[in-house]
Amino acid sequence: MRVLIVRLSSLGDVVHAAPVLVDIHRACPGARIDWVVEEAFVPLARCLAGIERIVPIALRRWRQAPLAARTEIGAFWQSLRSESYDAVLDLQGLVKSAVVTRAARLTPGGRRHGLANRTDGSAYEPLARWAYGHAVTMPARIHVVDRSRELAACALGYRIDGAPCVPWQPPPLEPRDARWADPRGVLLVHGSAKAVKLLSTGFWASLGRELAAQGAQPLVPWGNAEERERAEQIVRAIGGQAAVLPRLPLDRLAAVMTRLHGAIGLDTGLTHMAATLARPTVQLFIEDKAWRAAAYWEPNTAVLQAEGGQAPTAGSVLQAWGRVA
């Protein structure tokens, strides 16, 4: 069986979709799985066992210069259609992913599968349904990981067996990154694309100072210029051994993260990476989304949900860290 997964972005969503790789290989031995993903997340996909071919797409960049990208766009369609698939699984449910799903070639008898409805807290565009020969209806309230697993199981005709598992297979640690792979290191994942999720610099600095007093090394990552500036402010306020982590490609970052003590962070991709890499992790949910995105199956992960508009305190976070670390 040849299967194509279409899950273009983002970081956390790609991580949440990855357990379908384990499910499919367990239920369909010998299956060959390809994955279409945004070019920024190709290094992440390389860290996932069970993918035969990664098909990069650069929609975000092409939108900015569509005429200049014509050659690249043509090469993408050619690469996408160079194989034929028994099943194409759109795990995203947006028009952009549906277009890719529709363009993929099928074997005789092959089918395209996708979501039939929006689930609570998720992005979904009803027009995407036109791309599917088989649309799967989901319960309104379902965890994002379970949604992808259920769609794949329904499409390929198997029953889900066991808890989710992200098949991480990071590369060896590169010598130039060894300085960051300190077993005392704790990632403080402060950044998010949504301003409503953000906590104050003072919160992270207070947390970092307490961790440093316990012998940990606070490491503060960043993903854009604004986050870098905030990371530098946090590190200055912590002092001591705290450091701003350089912006590493995701495969190198995964290799570093496997050697750290753990992570404390917002509901964002790096925090989900840490949790599913089986690092002790505290996930902080400011929005009411823990029920649909937390790594509920990971025994070394603690989940703190804001209550009544009040974010978790540094004290409650440290208590949770003490339980998992």
Side-chain angles (χ1 to χ4, degrees):
M1 177 182 290
R2 186 135 199 154
V3 179
L4 178 67
I5 293 174
V6 181
R7 178 75 240 197
L8 309 180
S9 59
S10 56
L11 173 54
D13 293 321
V14 173
V15 172
H16 283 146
V20 302
L21 295 167
V22 176
D23 293 345
I24 294 172
H25 282 297
R26 181 183 294 145
C28 310
R32 301 167 67 190
I33 304 175
D34 297 349
W35 193 312
V36 184
V37 70
E38 270 282 349
E39 61 180 358
F41 306 116
V42 168
L44 173 67
R46 292 197 190 109
C47 294
L48 300 173
I51 301 176
E52 180 165 312
R53 186 172 75 111
I54 300 168
V55 185
I57 189 170
L59 283 175
R60 297 178 180 183
R61 183 163 52 81
W62 294 342
R63 287 194 196 103
Q64 298 173 358
L67 295 179
R70 282 181 298 179
T71 301
E72 286 188 30
I73 295 171
F76 164 75
W77 292 122
Q78 185 176 12
S79 177
L80 175 68
R81 294 180 56 79
S82 65
E83 300 286 351
S84 297
Y85 297 97
D86 301 295
V88 182
L89 310 179
D90 181 359
L91 304 183
Q92 194 155 3
L94 301 179
V95 169
K96 63 181 180 182
S97 59
V99 170
V100 173
T101 299
R102 185 68 180 181
R105 291 175 57 193
L106 298 177
T107 59
R111 297 183 78 184
R112 301 178 179 91
H113 310 263
L115 298 166
N117 60 297
R118 180 182 179 274
T119 57
D120 291 351
S122 68
Y124 176 74
E125 295 172 345
L127 283 176
R129 283 194 62 170
W130 69 270
Y132 316 137
H134 177 212
V136 181
T137 301
M138 292 289 168
R141 193 174 178 89
I142 186 172
H143 194 283
V144 64
V145 173
D146 298 334
R147 185 182 66 178
S148 292
R149 297 181 79 198
E150 291 285 353
L151 192 156
C154 185
L156 302 181
Y158 62 81
R159 289 190 175 185
I160 294 173
D161 180 21
C165 177
V166 176
W168 286 110
Q169 192 173 288
L173 183 71
E174 295 193 13
R176 55 182 165 170
D177 299 329
R179 62 174 294 195
W180 307 110
D182 191 324
R184 300 174 301 129
V186 179
L187 280 184
L188 299 182
V189 187
H190 62 97
S192 172
K194 297 182 69 173
V196 69
K197 294 183 181 181
L198 298 179
L199 296 173
S200 70
T201 299
F203 170 89
W204 293 108
S206 174
L207 193 59
R209 285 192 292 268
E210 290 294 333
L211 290 169
Q214 298 174 13
Q217 181 189 20
L219 297 173
V220 188
W222 54 277
N224 55 44
E226 181 181 347
E227 289 182 6
R228 182 172 185 173
E229 181 179 352
R230 188 164 61 246
E232 291 171 347
Q233 293 173 357
I234 292 169
V235 165
R236 285 196 298 269
I238 296 172
Q241 297 297 312
V244 175
L245 195 69
R247 189 175 182 181
L248 303 175
L250 290 170
D251 51 351
R252 289 169 53 193
L253 180 58
V256 168
M257 290 172 71
T258 60
R259 291 159 174 80
L260 298 180
H261 192 174
I264 300 172
L266 301 173
D267 166 27
T268 191
L270 292 186
T271 310
H272 298 307
M273 278 184 67
T276 56
L277 280 162
R279 297 293 83 204
T281 302
V282 179
Q283 296 184 311
L284 309 178
F285 286 83
I286 308 306
E287 296 180 296
D288 181 22
K289 289 190 175 180
W291 64 268
R292 69 173 297 270
Y296 66 85
W297 63 92
E298 293 291 349
N300 291 332
T301 293
V303 178
L304 298 183
Q305 173 69 68
E307 299 288 348
Q310 295 296 315
T313 64
S316 64
V317 173
L318 288 168
Q319 289 179 355
W321 175 250
R323 292 195 299 270
V324 299

